[in-house]
Amino acid sequence: MDAQGRGRAENIDPADQWVLNPNTGEYELRLSPSAPQSAVPGPRRSGSGRGGGAARGRAAAPDRQSSSPDKATDAEVPSPRRRRGVPAQEPAANRRGRRPVKKKSKAKKILLWTGGIMAFVLVGTAGAAYLYLEHLNDNITSVSDDGASTGGFSKDKAINLLVIGTDKRTGSGNEGYGDANSVGHADTTILLHVSKDRTNATALSIPRDLIVNIPDCQTEQADGSTKVIKGSDNVRFNTSLGQDERTPSCTVRTVTALTGIQADNFMVADFNAVKTLTTAVGGVEVCLAKDIDDEDSHLKLSKGTHTIEGEKALAFVRTRHSVGFGGDLSRIALQQQFLSALMRKLKSNDTLTSPTKMIKLAEAGTKALTVDSQLDSIDKLKDLGLELGKLNVKNLTFTTVPVVDNPAEKVKATVVVNKSTAPTVFQMIKDDVSFTEVKQQAAASKNAAAAAAAARLKGTQSAASAVRVQVMNGGAPAGSAQETLNWLQNDEGVTKSENAGNAPAVLSRTTLEYAPDQADQARKLAAVMGLPGTALKPGKSVENSQGLPTMTLTLGKDFKGAGVSLTTPTAVPDTVQKSTADKVECAK
């Protein structure tokens, strides 16, 4: 687009140029023949975006050097598309025309956009122009994942996406929020786990004031070299980003060290993202159980429901002194309520069927987010969005890392992990266990297999002193067999046990094989070690060093250490607070 063409089109909303074609059910670009150029944004020129203009100049109109509107041709405006084989004109009277497009089918066509994800991300396209896709690609900012992630999500596996909200005060749209020179922190961090079957998801908030150990972080520098940023012990989680030149990959590594869960991808959003995305969807409806007047966040709202966007939406998610106990944990609960409302708005027909909102969301999403190097294109974001778009909000659970006040502090300012409940939450996410009841709808065959495995644990148990077992290492860390043997004999009274060395094959999961007449011994050992019913394998016994029949315990790759249960938790502890995105809650 030449300079004069841009000047004439700058006041035209691109969404207004897209019209639903009733014959195809798709949105198409429609301009009058006198229009000199497409109102859809084209690629950025050299110096104004990634890759420059030269690489994408091939997509420009043939006579782009012309500045005269008289030289603009109809070839510059994409003609309305129609299905192959459909006549260009309407069928003649009394002749049978094409079968009308069904409403359901049209609705599916309308949904040719990339799905949304909570916490500041919706990326979409209105479905057509190459130039517009290139424009959106130019909007995207990406940084290296520095090897901290798995290398990117997969369509046939569970997805772990780390969404980081930074309180960075620099950059356009972020002015006027306190320290103007702040490089920011990991102020709001959510680990989004999407189940393998896409039926459910868990959004785990990580408190910014949680005391953690930040590992050393290898980062890629602008010149292509690498630099190891030294880690820190017993520091606030939010210092995993920005401080000491730490990049988002350092936050990813910190989350992995904390939870045992490695993110597939990450996204980073600043203050501006909240403003632009809420404005793009036409506001988000929130509910307050009381009046709020917070001098720090500048939020002033009365009790009841309100639709907020822009600056007011940002003030809402930053508020903490006027809700709950006035701390960061109260603010997290407020943010989760806001994100639930945002998800409901994104999934509503009001948003999905509006080309104006979809284009605004595409612009806002691609401009507001910084993504890892595995998500650096519209195609990759689209694929991720389509996976996330399969979710039903009733099966999206928000929860927070279980914590307790830091016992080392007299004046309580930070928190530490609750060791009695947090491991269960982490393990459920790792094992892809739903926090809702959706997975109870599994196939009957799977239910039957689970019931059979559970039945192996039911019945009488022998005394620990009567259990005879040989321990083998079948994929566990070196020394695990001897470690387990020592624990069984010294701590659990299983004295008739011995180390049988390495197993003939590597196993992914720990197994206990036993003869039918050893079932009571197997049940006792399973109870001692926390073995699930699926680990018990009825079979045959072997002889131990005394020539007596004995069971065989083979430690697989899933072995976590002597005394650590291998039974996957199936329910969230009652003390862990959680909510689902379909529920409307009022901030207190």
Side-chain angles (χ1 to χ4, degrees), residues 114-125:
T114 65
I117 86 172
M118 34 113 302
F120 326 128
V121 58
L122 181 88
V123 179
T125 74

Side-chain angles (χ1 to χ4, degrees), residues 296-315:
D296 293 301
S297 69
H298 307 297
L299 178 69
K300 186 174 183 179
L301 289 175
S302 60
K303 176 182 176 180
T305 58
H306 301 269
T307 299
I308 59 175
E309 63 180 80
E311 292 286 351
K312 188 158 288 188
L314 178 59

